[in-house]
Amino acid sequence: MNLLQPDASLRRRQALDRLFVALLVASAASGVVVLLLVLGYVIWRGAPALNPAFFTQRPLPYGEPGGGVAPAILGTLTMLAVASAIGIPIGIGAAVYLSEYGRGSFANVVRFVIDLLAGLPSIVVGVFVWALVVRQLVGNYSGIAGAVALAIIMIPIVTRTVEEILHLVPTTLREASLALGVPRWRTILFVVLPTARAGIITGVVLSLARAGGETAPLLLTALGNQFFSFDLTQPMAALPVQIYNYAVSPYEDWHTKAWGSALVLIGVIGTLSLVTRLAARGRTGR
Amino acid sequence: MVRHSEFTPSGDARSALAEPEPLGVRGHAMRTAQLSAWYGAQQAIDGISLPIAPNRITAIIGPSGCGKSTFIRCLNRMHEVTPGSPRVNGHVYLDEQEIYAPGVDPVRVRRLIGMVFQKPNPFPAMSIADNVVAGWRLVGGYRQKNLDEVVERCLREAALWDEVKDKLHQSGASLSGGQQQRLCIARALAVEPEVLLMDEPCSALDPVATFKIEDLMLRLKERYTIAIVTHNMQQAARISDYTAFLLAGDDRVGRLVEYGPTSEVFTNPRDRRAEDYITGRFG
Ligand SMILES: Nc1ncnc2c1ncn2[C@@H]1O[C@H](COP(=O)(O)OP(=O)(O)OP(=O)(O)O)[C@@H](O)[C@H]1O
Ligand SMILES: [Mg+2]
């Protein structure tokens, strides 16, 4: 008798095996297909709006030919930069606290609050910042209010992803450093964080992408602006707000511009992620 | 630098904790008194009182799970940074100075009492060379030192230089397990500790590398005080001057069962359980 003779059960197993692999490939492919559909449709509708002026000029009133979304691009970048300066250090700091020191009940409270914050609808963040910053602190719609709203949206995303990543850094590495007589804070700064660098970048990129696309809170805080303005205390343009304004208009030409702006927004966020990742990689490749 | 290898009674040994002194002039003695340790509610070791003689190798042997790693980690205050609600009770002295005394900085204790872990743990994000001098780089204040010289000297001492001298800038994680362990030994030597604790440093090594490490330890004891955990009876017999045997009872709490000069413990153990373990009848 041949011990290695294939039998019925083997054939069934192989068939099942192929079925499961096919299912996995199908789910992976459907993810890609959805993305390509969205991207393709936006390109198809938005590409006609793109020309050099679209990237360099300010929006013009309806009827005047030309005009672009340059203030919105710059406004989005400005507010994202300010929001990152506020939100990323706080987010990473909170994550380090939770992962490296967070044992007691205070840490559990922080974790709970961060989770609540992550689940908070962004319009609520917008209303809150409107009440606090727009009405009380600055006195009018302003770029800084928009940046604060975006920072509040970024903090929980950064904190949760970075905390998870820091948990993945092996305890043995912390021990190796501590056993060399390295203080705790230096161990975190120079061993734990560099080891988790790739994951931290992912968290930062995710939060940037999410904040870059927020519309509702910006309508209530930064408001939007048809002119070039870098004054953080004044209303500031932003791509999502620009898309919204173009899209709700009754004009066919502006609808095309809305699609074009959407395409630009995808491009801006894609570029940001790419630049962040490349910058992070460049720093270690010595 | 003059280095004495004579046995010095611990009483007149100079204090390493009190003030920094020229390194390696004389080995420092350690001693534990009624040392107990817990993980949460579960006690791991109970009332261990053990001398660790200066410029000698003290081997700690015993069956798996009897608390050898726990004990040795209490000696440089690494137990308290272990996950799992660690707790220590009792005394550990370095030159008759209590390392658990209030006001004693655990960072300084760990700088003086170096450690090599059971599992090799090089820093994966650092090159081989950076791993060796990680202690200096991470702490800072090394500017007066020639780090390249330190890298070569410590890698040579750890019997790794010839294998890695052409790839010092590759990642520490690119080495084999045994090479990683020797890298960790080099890293521990680089910060010039006074006492070296080794937790089964050879468990991942082949006989040749094991021999190199043993040879290294025999040379190092001229300068350092060494405590080594080992599962290898022959190794304990070959290199150690004193042997301590730990054993956990039915309550899973490790206690010191036998301690003495290695020759006596191995030829004429007083405790029957130690005799059984050493002759291979259990454990
Ligand atoms: N982090 C931890 N949390 C909880 N219990 C632990 C922890 N580490 C060790 N223990 C327990 O403490 C006891 C002693 O463990 P220890 O690691 O000191 O043993 P060991 O003698 O070094 O064993 P081995 O020879 O296998 O390394 C064991 O019962 C173990 O389960
Ligand atoms: Mg152990």
Side-chain angles (χ1 to χ4, degrees):
Chain A
M1 191 185 120
N2 186 351
L3 287 175
L4 298 177
Q5 185 73 45
D7 56 9
S9 91
L10 173 72
R11 261 173 241 117
R12 202 173 54 237
R13 230 167 344 103
Q14 283 175 334
L16 268 178
D17 199 41
R18 274 193 290 273
L19 180 68
F20 276 111
V21 172
L23 281 175
L24 293 179
V25 170
S27 8
S30 51
V32 175
V33 166
V34 168
L35 181 72
L36 286 182
L37 275 180
V38 172
L39 206 60
Y41 193 70
V42 174
I43 291 176
W44 179 54
R45 299 294 304 265
L50 298 190
N51 52 49
F54 199 70
F55 293 93
T56 52
Q57 293 185 3
R58 68 177 196 84
L60 297 175
Y62 180 70
E64 293 184 35
V69 293
I73 297 174
L74 294 174
T76 284
L77 289 176
T78 308
M79 282 190 285
L80 277 183
V82 177
S84 301
I86 304 171
I88 292 175
I90 294 179
I92 293 182
V96 167
Y97 170 75
L98 289 177
S99 137
E100 307 297 312
Y101 297 92
R103 297 272 143 74
S105 52
F106 177 66
N108 286 333
V109 171
V110 172
R111 247 182 227 111
F112 181 68
V113 170
I114 296 277
D115 276 346
L116 278 186
L117 206 55
L120 210 59
S122 57
I123 185 84
V124 177
V125 174
V127 171
F128 168 75
V129 174
W130 174 81
L132 189 73
V133 181
V134 174
R135 296 298 302 272
Q136 302 292 324
L137 295 177
V138 179
N140 53 287
Y141 292 106
S142 54
I144 186 69
V148 168
L150 295 186
I152 293 177
I153 289 164
M154 289 171 77
I155 287 172
I157 302 174
V158 174
T159 304
R160 287 326 299 253
T161 40
V162 172
E163 189 198 351
E164 291 307 317
I165 294 298
L166 292 183
H167 281 307
L168 293 182
V169 175
T171 325
T172 54
L173 287 187
R174 296 182 178 86
E175 289 183 341
S177 174
L178 292 173
L180 288 171
V182 179
R184 185 87 170 259
W185 67 272
R186 279 181 170 273
T187 298
I188 293 170
L189 214 54
F190 300 124
V191 174
V192 178
L193 290 179
T195 306
R197 210 190 61 254
I200 294 174
I201 303 293
T202 302
V204 167
V205 166
L206 273 180
S207 71
L208 275 177
R210 167 79 198 279
E214 281 300 341
T215 317
L218 291 186
L219 282 172
L220 291 167
T221 52
L223 188 64
N225 192 335
Q226 302 302 308
F227 298 90
F228 287 98
S229 166
F230 288 103
D231 187 348
L232 281 171
T233 62
Q234 294 303 316
M236 194 174 267
L239 275 170
V241 176
Q242 194 68 50
I243 295 171
Y244 174 78
N245 287 338
Y246 278 144
V248 296
S249 78
Y251 315 119
E252 192 55 40
D253 173 42
W254 279 22
H255 291 171
T256 308
K257 285 200 159 94
W259 287 107
S261 312
L263 194 53
V264 171
L265 180 59
I266 294 175
V268 165
I269 289 174
T271 313
L272 269 183
S273 326
L274 207 67
V275 168
T276 314
R277 280 180 202 281
L278 285 181
R281 189 177 309 159
R283 232 175 295 135
T284 49
R286 55 189 185 98
Chain B
M1 202 184 283
V2 186
R3 290 189 162 120
H4 300 282
S5 59
E6 280 91 359
F7 181 90
T8 38
S10 55
D12 76 284
R14 266 177 270 169
S15 160
L17 272 181
E19 83 224 43
E21 59 167 287
L23 295 169
V25 169
R26 167 193 291 162
H28 298 271
M30 289 193 74
R31 175 169 81 80
T32 72
Q34 291 301 317
L35 185 67
S36 304
W38 288 260
Y39 294 98
Q42 171 66 41
Q43 188 165 9
I45 55 172
D46 179 35
I48 295 183
S49 301
L50 183 71
I52 296 173
N55 294 116
R56 294 290 179 274
I57 299 177
T58 303
I60 296 158
I61 60 172
S64 186
C66 70
K68 304 180 295 297
S69 296
T70 307
F71 172 74
I72 205 168
R73 292 167 62 96
C74 289
L75 298 183
N76 69 343
R77 297 193 60 168
M78 282 303 289
H79 179 66
E80 64 202 51
V81 295
T82 313
S85 322
R87 193 158 63 81
V88 182
N89 199 353
H91 309 278
V92 178
Y93 301 96
L94 174 63
D95 292 338
E96 293 306 311
Q97 295 241 327
E98 167 73 272
I99 68 169
Y100 283 98
V104 171
D105 179 10
V107 171
R108 175 136 185 79
V109 169
R110 293 178 202 133
R111 192 78 174 178
L112 291 166
I113 309 176
M115 178 161 228
V116 176
F117 292 84
Q118 194 164 351
K119 289 194 204 104
N121 52 2
F123 299 115
M126 291 186 199
S127 71
I128 292 172
D130 283 346
N131 258 287
V132 176
V133 289
W136 293 107
R137 284 206 194 284
L138 292 173
V139 172
Y142 54 84
R143 250 166 280 281
Q144 59 295 60
K145 287 199 101 66
N146 180 353
L147 290 187
D148 290 342
E149 185 270 327
V150 174
V151 168
E152 174 164 355
R153 177 172 54 77
C154 295
L155 284 175
R156 280 190 191 282
E157 281 186 336
L160 188 59
W161 175 252
D162 290 331
E163 287 156 68
V164 301
K165 62 171 185 273
D166 300 321
K167 51 175 191 176
L168 289 174
H169 297 288
Q170 288 181 21
S171 158
S174 69
L175 298 175
S176 78
Q179 290 172 329
Q180 289 185 10
Q181 187 62 300
R182 279 176 284 156
L183 180 60
C184 294
I185 293 175
R187 182 176 68 185
L189 296 177
V191 292
E192 298 171 6
E194 300 296 326
V195 178
L196 198 55
L197 308 175
M198 302 177 120
D199 193 351
E200 292 184 50
C202 302
S203 59
L205 302 191
D206 70 8
V208 176
T210 300
F211 175 78
K212 287 179 183 167
I213 298 297
E214 289 181 6
D215 189 52
L216 165 70
M217 280 189 272
L218 290 174
R219 277 185 285 122
L220 288 178
K221 75 172 182 174
E222 310 233 314
R223 276 181 284 157
Y224 301 99
T225 301
I226 299 178
I228 172 176
V229 172
T230 178
H231 271 142
N232 182 330
M233 293 303 121
Q234 288 85 6
Q235 180 170 61
R238 274 196 301 269
I239 61 167
S240 71
D241 302 288
Y242 297 92
T243 297
F245 176 64
L246 303 190
L247 188 63
D250 292 335
D251 54 358
R252 298 199 291 131
V253 180
R255 294 184 181 81
L256 181 65
V257 169
E258 175 100 24
Y259 170 78
T262 297
S263 52
E264 267 173 46
V265 172
F266 273 82
T267 55
N268 193 12
R270 276 164 295 171
D271 190 278
R272 199 185 49 76
R273 292 164 297 177
E275 182 177 358
D276 286 351
Y277 184 74
I278 288 162
T279 54
R281 249 169 285 172
F282 89 93

